[in-house]
Amino acid sequence: MNNLVIMPIIIPLLAGLILILFSKNIGFQRFFSASAILASGYVAVILLQQIKGKGIQVLQAGGWEAPFGISIVADMFSALLLLSASIVAFFCLMYAFKSIGRERENHYFYPFYLFLITGVNGSFLTGDLFNLFVCFEVMLISSYVLLSLGGTRIQLRESIKYVLINVLSSSLFLIAVAYLYAMLGTLNFAHLSLRVADAGQDGLLTTVALLFLIVFGMKAALFLFFWLPGSYSAPPTAIAAIFAALLTKVGIYALFRTFTLVFYHEPQITHFIIGILGALTMILGAIGAIAYWEIKKILTYNVIVGVGFIMAGLASSTHYGMMGSIYYLIHDILIKALIILLGGTIIYIMGTSKLKEISGLIRNHPFLGWMFFIAALSLAGIPPLSGFLGKVFITRGTFESEYYWLGGIGLFTSLMVLYSIMKIFMNVFWGETNVSKEMEKGTAKGLVLPIAGLTGLTITLGIGAEGIAESVRIAADGLLNPSLYIEAVIGESQFGSK
Amino acid sequence: METVISILIGLFFSIGTYLVLSKSLIRIILGTSIISHGVNLLILTMGGLKRGGAPLLGGIETKFTDSLPQALILTAIVINFAVTALFLVLSYRTYKTLGTDDTDRLRGNVDE
C-alpha cells in the first residue's frame, strides 16, 4: 500500500474545487492551478523513483482487497505518462495565461482545466475497468466544456459533433463492460487478466476485445478519427494543444492496457487488426496532412498519424516494439502540444490560418521560425531529436515480428509528415515578407516562453534519451509480462501483507 | 427472461441508432437517451436476472440479486444525466446562435 499513488488524482481535483470559489481572482487562480500541476508532476517523479526501486506501486482504495475494492496502480508505463502529461499541462497552462483571455478566465477556465488533468491522471492510474470509464467521463465532460467555452459559432458547431460521438462511444464502452462482467464476473484489470488466462480467450472474449478496440479506437482516433480534425481546430490554441497532447493519448494508453494485460492470448487476430487499423490511420492521416493548405488542418491530421504509428508498436508486441511505442508516446505528448502551440501562435500573429496568405515570417520572428524548424524535424524523427529513437525501435519491432508492410508504411508516412510540416515552414517563414511588424494582428510576446520550454525538452529528450532508457525498459518489461502487474495487485492481498 | 429483455434492448438500440442518424438535433439527443436506456438495461441483464431478494441486509431472504451491476447502473445514469443536460443546453445555445437545428446546415461555412 502506498498512499502517494492517488495523489496525482487528488491534487488537481481538490485544487479545481477550491478554484471554483475564487472565480474572480485571476491572479490566485493562475498561481494555484500552476502549482497544483507542478505538485502532481513532482509526485509523478517520486513515484517513478519508487517504482524503479521497489516495483509496481499499488493502493487498494478504502483498504478493500484487490478484486473487491478499486485498486489504484502505478506501474512504470503510467508513471512515465503521468510525468509527461504534467509537464505538457504546465506549459500549455503557461501559454493559456497569456492567450486565453479574461472572458474565459472569469468563467471557470482553470477549474475545468484541472478537472481535465484529474480525468487524465485518473485514467493513467486506475486498475479497474469501470473506474476507467468514470475517469474517461471526468476527462470528457471537462473537455466538452473547454471545447465550447466562449461560445463562438465554430466552437458550438464542433462541440455538438464532439459530444455526440463521445456519448455514443461511452455507451459502447458500457456495453463492453457489461459483456465482460457477464463472462468473467469481475472488473479489476489484474483479476480479469487472471480469469482470461484461466479460462482461455475464446471467440466470445475476442469479440469483446474487438468491441474494446472500437471504443478506445474512437477515443484515440485510431482509424475512427473522423471527428478529430473538426473538433481540434475549433477551440483556442492552448486548449487545442492540451487536447492534442493528452486526450488521444488516454485512448492509446487504454488500448495498451487492455491488449497487453487482458486480451493478449490471440495476437494473430487482435494485434493483427490493430496493425491494419494503425496502417490505415497512418496513411489516411498523412493524406489529410498533405492535402490541406491550412495550418490548423495540417497539424490536426498530424495528430492522427502519430496515433497510427504508436499502434504499430503495439501490433508488433515485441520488446523493441513496446519500447519504441513508449518512447514515441512520451515524445508525441510533447511534440503535439508544441506544434499546435506554434501553429496557433502563427495564426494569432497573422490573423489567418491559410498558408497562401502568409509568407516571410522569419524576418520578424526568427526565434519562432527556428523553433518551428526544430519541432518539424523532431516530429518527422530526424536523429538528434526526440522522435528518432521511438521510430527506430518501432520499425525494428515490426520487422522482428515480420510485419514488414507495417514498418514500411510507418517509414513512408514519416516522409509525408516531413513534407506536410516543411510545407508550413517554407510557406510561412520563407519568401517575401508580406506583412510588416506594425501590420501584425497580435504579438508573440510572452507566448514564446512556453514554446521555448517545450522545444528545449524535445531536444533534451532526444540527446538525453539514455537518461530514461532504464525506465522505458522497465515499462516495456511490465507491458510484456502481465504477471508482474497481477502479482503486485492481487498478490499483495492474498498474502495479507500490510 | 434474459432472451426477452435482450430482444427489448436490441429494439432500444435500433430505435436509438435510427434517431441518431436523423437530421434534427433534438431527435439525435433523444436517440442518445434511448441508447443509454438500452445500455443500462443491458448491464442489468448481463449481471443475471436470477430470482432473489433486493440486496438489503436485515431482511428474511438468504439469497440476493447481484448488487454490483446496480451500482454500475446508478453511476452510469448520473453521468449520462449530466451529459444529456449539457448536450441539451449546448444544442439550445447552438440553435440560438446559429439559428438552425438541421445538422446538414451545421457544416463549415466560408465566413468563419
Side-chain angles (χ1 to χ4, degrees):
Chain A
M1 298 284 252
N2 181 354
N3 282 329
L4 207 62
V5 180
I6 204 170
M7 291 318 261
I9 309 176
I10 298 275
I11 293 172
L13 180 66
L14 280 182
L17 289 176
I18 292 169
L19 284 188
I20 290 178
L21 301 176
F22 300 97
S23 66
K24 299 290 176 255
N25 192 343
I26 303 300
F28 176 72
Q29 293 217 43
R30 288 178 174 177
F31 172 74
F32 202 68
S33 47
S35 27
I37 287 171
L38 280 183
S40 71
Y42 178 65
V43 173
V45 173
I46 300 177
L47 275 177
L48 255 168
Q49 280 164 351
Q50 286 186 346
I51 295 164
K52 212 180 256 178
K54 293 182 279 186
I56 298 172
Q57 297 295 309
V58 185
L59 172 69
Q60 312 288 4
W64 295 94
E65 292 182 350
F68 306 114
I70 291 172
S71 317
I72 313 281
V73 190
D75 65 346
M76 197 48 118
F77 185 43
S78 33
L80 281 172
L81 289 181
L82 268 182
L83 182 59
S84 11
S86 305
I87 291 170
V88 165
F90 179 72
F91 283 114
C92 288
L93 192 70
M94 271 175 74
Y95 192 90
F97 290 164
K98 295 285 175 200
S99 69
I100 204 77
R102 191 47 64 91
E103 186 70 9
R104 287 191 172 89
E105 283 182 317
N106 271 332
H107 288 95
Y108 305 101
F109 169 75
Y110 295 114
F112 280 111
Y113 193 86
L114 288 169
F115 293 147
L116 183 85
I117 305 298
T118 310
V120 171
N121 285 357
S123 310
F124 287 155
L125 285 175
T126 183
D128 180 284
L129 198 53
F130 193 77
N131 198 30
L132 180 68
F133 167 77
V134 175
C135 289
F136 263 49
E137 289 301 312
V138 171
M139 175 187 91
L140 286 173
I141 293 173
S142 322
S143 73
Y144 302 155
V145 178
L146 285 177
L147 182 55
S148 54
L149 192 68
T152 59
R153 293 166 67 91
I154 179 170
Q155 278 182 307
L156 287 172
R157 209 176 56 216
E158 295 302 335
S159 341
I160 291 273
K161 297 164 192 169
Y162 180 74
V163 174
L164 177 64
I165 201 86
N166 278 306
V167 167
L168 289 178
S169 72
S170 297
S171 297
L172 283 177
F173 194 168
L174 278 177
I175 294 169
V177 169
Y179 285 152
L180 207 57
Y181 181 69
M183 274 179 246
L184 301 171
T186 180
L187 291 172
N188 186 295
F189 274 130
H191 202 212
L192 279 174
S193 175
L194 269 183
R195 292 233 166 135
V196 174
D198 281 350
Q201 188 176 335
D202 57 1
L204 277 175
L205 276 172
T206 307
T207 314
V208 176
L210 293 180
L211 190 53
F212 274 111
L213 180 60
I214 293 172
V215 172
F216 296 141
M218 255 169 163
K219 314 259 184 205
L222 174 67
F223 186 65
L224 302 165
F225 59 75
F226 306 98
W227 54 271
L228 190 141
S231 313
Y232 281 21
S233 43
T237 309
I239 298 174
I242 198 76
F243 279 14
L246 294 183
L247 295 197
T248 54
K249 306 304 177 293
V250 174
I252 294 172
Y253 169 82
L255 279 170
F256 269 88
R257 202 38 100 210
T258 37
F259 284 93
T260 56
L261 186 60
V262 185
F263 302 113
Y264 57 93
H265 301 279
E266 296 277 355
Q268 71 277 19
I269 301 173
T270 49
H271 289 60
F272 183 62
I273 292 177
I274 291 175
I276 292 174
L277 291 183
L280 285 172
T281 312
M282 282 190 275
I283 294 171
L284 293 175
I287 289 174
I290 286 180
Y292 286 96
W293 282 86
E294 214 180 315
I295 297 174
K296 278 185 176 175
K297 282 274 165 21
I298 295 174
L299 297 183
T300 44
Y301 274 98
N302 268 311
V303 174
I304 296 166
V305 181
V307 175
F309 200 73
I310 297 168
M311 282 304 129
L314 175 61
S316 77
S317 65
T318 56
H319 194 263
Y320 277 109
M322 289 294 170
M323 272 178 73
S325 286
I326 296 163
Y327 265 122
Y328 202 78
L329 199 50
I330 297 167
H331 150 78
D332 205 52
I333 290 177
L334 296 177
I335 199 74
K336 290 291 142 66
L338 177 57
I339 59 163
I340 301 266
L341 289 183
L342 279 164
T345 310
I346 295 168
I347 295 168
Y348 178 65
I349 290 172
M350 301 304 289
T352 174
S353 177
K354 296 196 175 60
L355 280 182
K356 289 181 175 161
E357 293 175 9
I358 313 173
S359 126
L361 212 58
I362 197 128
R363 283 189 189 78
N364 293 335
H365 299 276
F367 202 49
L368 198 66
W370 292 116
M371 283 198 295
F372 192 93
F373 185 67
I374 293 170
L377 294 186
S378 180
L379 185 73
I382 306 294
L385 298 161
S386 64
F388 174 66
L389 206 54
K391 280 205 166 152
V392 169
F393 279 151
I394 290 179
T395 311
R396 180 166 172 180
T398 50
F399 284 3
E400 266 176 11
S401 57
E402 297 188 337
Y403 289 147
Y404 295 109
W405 48 276
L406 191 56
I409 288 171
L411 293 178
F412 180 64
T413 48
S414 298
L415 271 183
M416 290 162 85
V417 162
L418 185 63
Y419 167 73
S420 75
I421 198 88
M422 276 302 153
K423 188 166 84 180
I424 298 183
F425 179 73
M426 290 168 71
N427 275 288
V428 169
F429 289 101
W430 287 4
E432 291 288 314
T433 309
N434 60 353
V435 174
S436 71
K437 214 161 174 102
E438 290 75 41
M439 282 159 66
E440 285 169 0
K441 300 271 191 311
T443 162
K445 215 173 144 189
L447 298 178
V448 177
L449 201 64
I451 296 176
L454 281 172
T455 314
L457 267 177
T458 172
I459 298 172
T460 323
L461 190 64
I463 295 171
E466 194 67 32
I468 60 163
E470 178 67 12
S471 311
V472 172
R473 198 190 51 73
I474 296 173
D477 277 346
L479 287 178
L480 288 170
N481 301 315
S483 56
L484 294 174
Y485 188 97
I486 297 167
E487 221 164 274
V489 179
I490 304 265
E492 189 177 288
S493 67
Q494 271 178 348
F495 302 121
S497 65
K498 293 174 201 167
Chain B
M1 195 62 195
E2 274 92 344
T3 323
V4 181
I5 300 283
S6 301
I7 293 169
L8 180 72
I9 295 166
L11 207 62
F12 268 73
F13 276 111
S14 19
I15 295 170
T17 313
Y18 178 76
L19 283 177
V20 166
L21 292 175
S22 60
K23 276 186 183 177
S24 152
L25 265 181
I26 193 73
R27 281 165 72 91
I28 291 175
I29 298 175
L30 285 177
T32 59
S33 246
I34 289 175
I35 286 182
S36 343
H37 281 66
V39 168
N40 292 337
L41 275 177
L42 182 79
I43 299 176
L44 195 68
T45 317
M46 286 290 126
L49 293 174
K50 307 283 181 300
R51 287 181 163 278
L56 295 169
L57 293 174
I60 44 164
E61 284 99 346
T62 48
K63 281 186 175 168
F64 300 101
T65 50
D66 193 351
S67 54
L68 188 71
Q70 303 187 12
L72 301 188
I73 292 170
L74 196 57
T75 316
I77 287 175
V78 181
I79 291 175
N80 181 58
F81 178 71
V83 173
T84 308
L86 182 82
F87 202 0
L88 277 170
V89 175
L90 196 63
S91 63
Y92 177 68
R93 265 301 287 276
T94 311
Y95 179 70
K96 287 286 239 188
T97 314
L98 298 170
T100 178
D101 75 330
D102 186 348
T103 44
D104 266 354
R105 298 177 61 192
L106 290 177
R107 293 164 190 233
N109 306 2
V110 265
D111 54 90
E112 285 162 3

